[in-house]
Amino acid sequence: MTENPTDRYKACEACELLKALEVEGREGRDQSMEVDARVRYRRHMREAHRREIPLPL
């Protein structure tokens, strides 16, 4: 079974915070906050966890 590259690391507080900000932006219809959180999450995954998150199609 392959691991999903979008899975968050269970013990990573930064991952959890960034995903929570994304959800907050989506629920509040704040697209700027949502996109910013996504970009920061992708950057964090690349730098901290050495994982590349594919862009959505």
Side-chain angles (χ1 to χ4, degrees):
M1 180 174 190
T2 22
E3 195 173 306
N4 184 348
T6 60
D7 285 347
R8 288 167 273 161
Y9 281 53
K10 294 175 185 89
C12 183
E13 292 179 25
C15 288
E16 294 300 322
L17 174 65
L18 291 169
K19 292 312 277 184
L21 285 173
E22 181 183 348
V23 169
E24 182 181 338
R26 185 172 35 253
E27 290 174 352
R29 298 186 189 272
D30 184 344
Q31 291 180 336
S32 178
M33 176 191 267
E34 182 182 359
V35 170
D36 183 51
R38 262 194 228 131
V39 169
R40 291 172 57 197
Y41 177 70
R42 288 175 50 80
R43 184 179 301 136
H44 168 76
M45 287 297 287
R46 187 178 314 116
E47 293 172 358
H49 303 296
R50 300 280 195 239
R51 295 185 67 189
E52 196 65 40
I53 304 298
L55 291 171
L57 297 175

